[in-house]
């Protein structure tokens, strides 16, 4: 990734955040440093000088004065980044941007950086003492922030100078910093408002974060509401005599929440961390009711005392045990404190919710049901909604800040007020009052005014009802293009069940996939052809993108398997030919085409991106050609395109270089290598040097559209047809023998070898001489033949069936 520079104003001085320092190399500190390194910011990571030598250091004759000993804690933090899974780093070499040191020898380095992030232990006195030392070497204008999960930000700098306080704020990263979108920015009364605005923009654009401005209150926004909701869920579980797994069945996807739901989330967070956060609120609030609400039940403290902390200790509300068939996850019985087999909840409301077509319908189906699951969901939800409303304006002034905090920090699909709107505010408020609940006055005022939703869309744009301003416009990021909103505004052009064309404005069209999992079938292929024709005739360019959970998981495997089992080879051959023609149409389109992938971009999803003139990928893009996992090879041009990009620019007379390129393509495809990030995709050759990366997924379509306009303004011309050098029969034998060695050593199966043989033949260009130049269509024909041949293999069909039923590859 290119070096990062973002212009940010601190008072009268202008700074470019190129250098940062993180103080504290624990789990959060090291991970924050890692993410800064991810985006190209050079980072100094400092920690305490160890008080004693380790046994290993003593054996090596080290002393406490040796530099590597004094830097040990920070060095171990960096080493941990390289070991952790999932990785905090986009690519391993990102750690080269991190320099380690210690807080005694290297404090002077802080005068050289543009941003200082304090991330030491969550104790106010420790943070205060460290910030006193920081100010002694602080360069005026440098931003200083504390990564605290809930301590008082203004108390940290109460004794610091006015100028230092003006440049100080809280920046609460959610864990893990690379993957969690939420960043709560907490200014104090002394913080420069302009600096907060600039810092927000920097975090959104460069760090890829969703930023909410929180007030300096205990645990800020997301943890305040999230922890309250978890405690409510626990008490309701006890009241209804339920078990953790039953609660998780109810409070997961059925309610628009992650699969980890309630107690699996607690296990992931760590019960010790949860108890600490809850205690922090209880100790710092004055309302007796709220103190009681945040009082941790004794059984949770007993679990912490026993060391049952969740995943990090091997057991919490769940425990995984190994057995002959693999492993089994057991649930905790809180009455006996023993672990026992889980039981699936059987409730009519849950089954009905699964059949609902939209999340609002799903919520109404579940929460208004009269069975046990419905009652549990309602009793928990109403408490969270009422608490969220009661905390405005204490923890945040605006409804959207609370909704965004819960969506970005806890991965809810809808925030509390969006959920309230979806359920029906008037209906739910009446039910709450009938059940004796106290509804915040401002919510009743909204209903009395004739408005029955918190959010509303009018011609001038979206509005929201808030206690202070009553009705105000929703602050929208112009870089966040919403395809759903564009459709509502009449920008839909044409479409079918699998894909649509949407006018992005400025004569740029978006080809949106919206089939289940965005899997490619004939409807999407048809719309790809339509998109090229429409753009060629009337528009400046095309963006291929969508806003689903993932960009595209590949071809519709079920359809291919069904046709293969029916021996309908003509249908499969036609579909693959159509897909190949569609990807080539994208490549030959006389207007610029930019693909905007994100998330899983697998198989056919990658094949759609490869022919684009440019790829504007989200930083979290997991791209790869994974067809060998289901017994096939890429058939939509992926095999050909990998060879094209890896041989591009090579000396045609250099047989060794050509064989090396073919070998790299063979390894990537045969091993079904999937990138761990967009930057890793570049290293694997899935992205080219001219392709770009967007840190904030919400901005991908905006950035892709800008690239289309840049190419058009530069006088775009499509790339001419090209011929590709192949290694021929000689190269085929080299690749085949390499696979044969792996077969004989037991690394691959007989069927793996058969797939590898087909792949090697295509990449080598078939039965031709070494150095022959072949056309792209020639390679596409070889691809299609190999794909069809493998579709007919019983073991390939078994792999496809296994993937569809088990969602994991079969080795046969």
């Amino acid at each position: 990734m290119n070096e990062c520079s973002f212009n940010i104003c601190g008072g009268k001085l202008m700074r470019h955040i190129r250098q940062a320092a993180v103080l504290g190399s624990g789990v959060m500190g090291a991970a924050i440093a890692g993410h800064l390194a991810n985006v190209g910011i050079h980072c100094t990571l400092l920690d305490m000088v160890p008080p004693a030598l380790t046994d290993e250091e003593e054996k090596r004759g080290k002393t406490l004065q040796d530099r590597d000993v004094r830097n040990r804690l920070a060095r171990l933090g960096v080493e941990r980044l390289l070991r952790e899974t999932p990785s905090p780093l986009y690519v391993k070499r990102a750690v080269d941007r991190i320099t380690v040191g210690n807080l005694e020898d290297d404090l002077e380095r802080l005068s050289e950086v543009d941003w200082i992030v304090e991330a030491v232990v969550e104790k106010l006195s420790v943070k205060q003492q460290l910030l006193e030392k920081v100010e002694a070497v602080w360069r005026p204008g440098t931003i200083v922030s504390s990564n605290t999960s809930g301590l008082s930000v203004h108390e940290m700098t109460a004794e610091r100078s006015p100028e230092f306080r003006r440049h100080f704020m809280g920046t609460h990263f959610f864990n893990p910093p690379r993957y969690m979108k939420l960043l709560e920015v907490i200014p104090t009364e002394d913080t420069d408002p302009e600096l907060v605005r600039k810092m927000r923009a920097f975090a959104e654009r460069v760090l890829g974060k969703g930023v909410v401005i929180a007030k300096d209150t205990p645990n800020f926004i997301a943890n305040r509401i999230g922890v309250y909701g978890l405690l409510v869920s626990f008490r309701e579980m006890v009241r209804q005599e339920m078990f953790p797994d039953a609660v998780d069945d109810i409070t997961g996807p059925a309610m628009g929440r992650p699969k980890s739901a309630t107690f699996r989330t607690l296990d992931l967070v760590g019960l010790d961390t949860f108890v600490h956060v809850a205690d922090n609120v209880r100790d710092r609030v004055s309302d007796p009711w709220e103190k009681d609400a945040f009082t941790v039940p004794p059984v949770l403290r007993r679990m912490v005392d026993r060391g049952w902390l969740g995943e990090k200790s091997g057991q919490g509300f769940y425990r995984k045990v190994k057995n002959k068939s693999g492993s089994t996850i057991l649930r905790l019985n809180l009455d006996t404190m023993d672990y026992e087999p889980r039981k699936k909840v059987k409730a009519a409301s849950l089954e009905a919710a699964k059949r609902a077509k939209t999340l609002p319908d799903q919520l109404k189906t579940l929460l208004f049901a009269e069975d046990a699951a419905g009652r549990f969901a309602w009793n928990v939800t109403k408490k969270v909604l009422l608490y969220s409303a009661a905390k405005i304006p204490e923890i945040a002034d605006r409804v959207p800040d609370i909704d965004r905090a819960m969506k970005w920090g806890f991965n809810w699909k809808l925030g509390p007020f969006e959920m309230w709107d979806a359920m029906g505010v008037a209906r739910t408020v009446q039910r709450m009052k009938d059940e004796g609940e106290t509804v915040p006055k401002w919510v009743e005022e909204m209903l009395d005014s004739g408005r029955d939703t918190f959010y509303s869309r009018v011609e001038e744009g979206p509005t929201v009802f808030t206690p202070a301003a009553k009705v105000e416009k929703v602050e929208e990021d112009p870089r966040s293009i919403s395809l759903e909103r564009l459709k509502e505004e009449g920008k839909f052009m044409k479409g079918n069940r699998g894909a649509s064309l949407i006018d992005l404005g400025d004569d740029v069209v978006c080809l949106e996939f919206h089939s289940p999992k965005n899997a490619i079938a004939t409807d999407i292929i048809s719309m790809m052809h339509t998109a090229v024709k429409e753009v060629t005739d009337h528009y400046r360019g095309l963006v291929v993108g969508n806003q689903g959970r993932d960009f595209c998981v590949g071809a519709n495997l079920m359809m291919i398997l069904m046709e293969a089992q029916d021996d309908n080879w003509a249908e499969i051959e036609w579909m693959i030919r159509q897909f190949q023609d569609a990807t080539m149409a994208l490549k030959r389109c006389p207007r610029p085409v930019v693909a905007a992938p994100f998330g899983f971009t697998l198989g056919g999803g990658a094949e759609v991106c490869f022919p684009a003139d440019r790829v504007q990928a989200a930083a979290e893009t997991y791209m790869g050609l994974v067809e060998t996992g289901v017994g096939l090879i890429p058939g939509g041009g992926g095999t050909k395109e990998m060879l094209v990009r890896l041989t591009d620019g090579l000396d045609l007379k250099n047989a060794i270089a050509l064989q090396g390129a073919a070998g790299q393509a063979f390894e990537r495809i045969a091993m079904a290598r999937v990138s761990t990030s967009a930057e890793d995709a570049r290293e694997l050759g899935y992205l080219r040097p001219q392709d770009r990366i967007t840190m904030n997924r919400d901005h991908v379509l905006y950035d892709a559209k800008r690239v289309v306009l840049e190419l058009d303004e530069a006088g775009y011309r499509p790339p001419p047809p090209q011929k590709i050098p192949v290694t021929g029969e000689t190269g085929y034998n080299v690749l085949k023998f390499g696979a044969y060695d792996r077969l004989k050593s037991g690394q691959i199966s007989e069927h793996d070898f058969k797939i590898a043989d087909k792949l090697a033949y295509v990449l080598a260009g078939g039965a031709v001489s070494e150095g022959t130049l072949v056309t792209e269509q020639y390679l596409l024909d070889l691809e299609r033949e190999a794909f069809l041949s493998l579709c007919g293999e019983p073991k390939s069909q078994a792999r496809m069936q296994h993937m569809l039923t088990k969602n994991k590859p079969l080795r046969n």
Side-chain angles (χ1 to χ4, degrees), residues 104-123:
E104 291 183 15
D105 304 327
D106 302 300
L107 211 58
E108 290 288 342
R109 291 190 194 176
L110 302 186
S111 64
E112 303 168 2
V113 305
D114 309 304
W115 180 21
I116 301 168
V117 184
E118 172 274 308
V120 298
V121 64
E122 281 284 272
K123 289 186 178 180

Side-chain angles (χ1 to χ4, degrees), residues 28 146-150 170-174 182-186 219-220 223:
M28 283 301 294
S146 173
N147 179 66
T148 175
S149 60
T171 48
H172 178 209
F173 288 83
F174 269 58
L182 179 60
L183 175 67
E184 291 177 319
V185 171
I186 310 100
N219 291 86
F220 313 128
N223 278 341

Side-chain angles (χ1 to χ4, degrees), residues 170-466:
T171 48
H172 178 209
F173 288 83
F174 269 58
N175 190 30
R178 169 185 166 180
Y179 298 98
M180 292 302 293
K181 184 171 181 177
L182 179 60
L183 175 67
E184 291 177 319
V185 171
I186 310 100
T188 71
E189 293 181 356
D190 300 313
T191 309
D192 182 349
E194 179 66 8
L195 182 61
V196 174
R197 187 183 71 80
K198 294 287 188 178
M199 194 66 181
R200 177 177 190 164
F202 165 78
E204 289 174 342
R205 299 176 192 177
V206 180
L207 301 182
K209 295 299 174 186
V211 176
V212 295
I213 306 301
K215 293 191 175 182
D216 191 7
T217 54
N219 291 86
F220 313 128
I221 299 175
N223 278 341
R224 182 77 167 264
I225 293 172
V227 169
Y228 173 81
L230 291 169
L231 286 167
V232 166
S233 298
F234 183 91
R235 293 187 176 105
E236 186 65 20
M237 175 184 69
V238 173
R239 193 181 73 83
Q240 292 199 30
E241 298 181 345
M242 298 173 71
F243 291 92
D245 53 331
V247 172
D248 283 350
D249 284 344
I250 297 167
T251 59
M255 290 178 60
R257 311 280 174 80
K259 289 182 179 180
S260 58
T262 299
F263 293 103
R264 178 66 179 138
T265 294
L266 278 172
D267 274 0
L268 291 170
V269 169
L271 268 69
D272 53 341
T273 301
F274 172 77
V275 168
H276 170 77
V277 173
D279 285 347
N280 185 57
V281 179
R282 183 203 61 197
D283 294 343
R284 293 181 58 201
V285 296
S286 57
D287 186 330
W289 174 89
E290 197 164 12
K291 279 185 177 292
D292 183 63
F294 281 89
T295 297
V296 175
V299 66
L300 293 185
R301 293 195 186 276
R302 287 200 299 271
M303 290 174 68
V304 172
D305 292 340
R306 291 186 180 192
W308 297 3
L309 308 180
E311 188 159 289
K312 61 186 173 184
S313 67
Q315 65 186 94
F317 287 100
Y318 297 99
R319 186 175 73 184
K320 182 184 288 187
V321 295
K322 294 183 178 180
N323 50 42
K324 293 181 179 179
S325 60
S327 61
T328 301
I329 297 176
L330 304 176
R331 73 183 185 192
L332 178 64
N333 184 322
L334 290 166
D335 293 327
T336 65
M337 297 304 284
D338 292 325
Y339 290 91
E340 58 189 31
R342 294 179 297 170
K343 294 182 181 179
K344 197 75 176 173
V345 171
K346 294 182 180 179
S349 59
L350 280 175
E351 294 303 316
K354 290 178 183 178
R355 295 191 295 271
K357 293 184 178 180
T358 66
L359 182 53
D361 288 341
Q362 191 173 304
L363 290 169
K364 292 174 188 174
T365 300
L366 174 61
L367 274 74
F368 295 143
E370 293 300 326
D371 59 10
R375 287 194 298 272
F376 183 95
W378 166 255
N379 288 341
V380 169
T381 300
K382 73 172 180 179
K383 295 287 189 182
V384 172
L385 299 185
L386 290 170
Y387 186 73
S388 299
K391 291 297 106 180
I392 293 178
E394 180 186 337
I395 65 174
D397 288 322
R398 305 175 62 254
V399 162
D401 284 335
I402 289 181
D403 280 341
R404 290 165 182 165
M406 298 315 296
K407 289 191 292 184
W408 296 339
F410 280 75
N411 291 322
W412 293 6
K413 287 187 178 179
L414 296 176
F417 297 97
E418 292 170 327
M419 180 184 289
W420 212 335
D421 277 354
M423 294 163 58
V425 181
R427 178 183 182 183
T428 52
V429 164
Q430 187 58 55
R431 182 176 176 182
M432 291 170 182
K433 292 166 71 174
D434 291 344
E435 293 174 356
E437 302 289 351
T438 300
V439 178
K441 183 179 178 181
W442 72 270
V443 176
E444 295 203 64
E445 288 176 349
M446 181 188 80
L447 293 173
D448 291 342
S449 72
R451 182 176 177 127
D452 59 1
T453 58
F454 296 101
Y455 293 93
S456 180
R457 176 163 287 279
V458 295
E459 188 174 337
E460 295 78 17
T463 65
V464 63
F465 190 93
T466 60

Side-chain angles (χ1 to χ4, degrees), residues 487 492-502 509-514 524 527 531 545:
K487 292 177 188 177
F492 171 83
M493 297 165 55
K494 58 183 62 178
N496 55 32
R497 292 180 62 185
S500 297
L501 298 185
I502 302 168
V509 174
C510 178
L511 169 60
E512 176 200 25
F513 298 172
H514 46 68
I524 285 181
M527 196 53 59

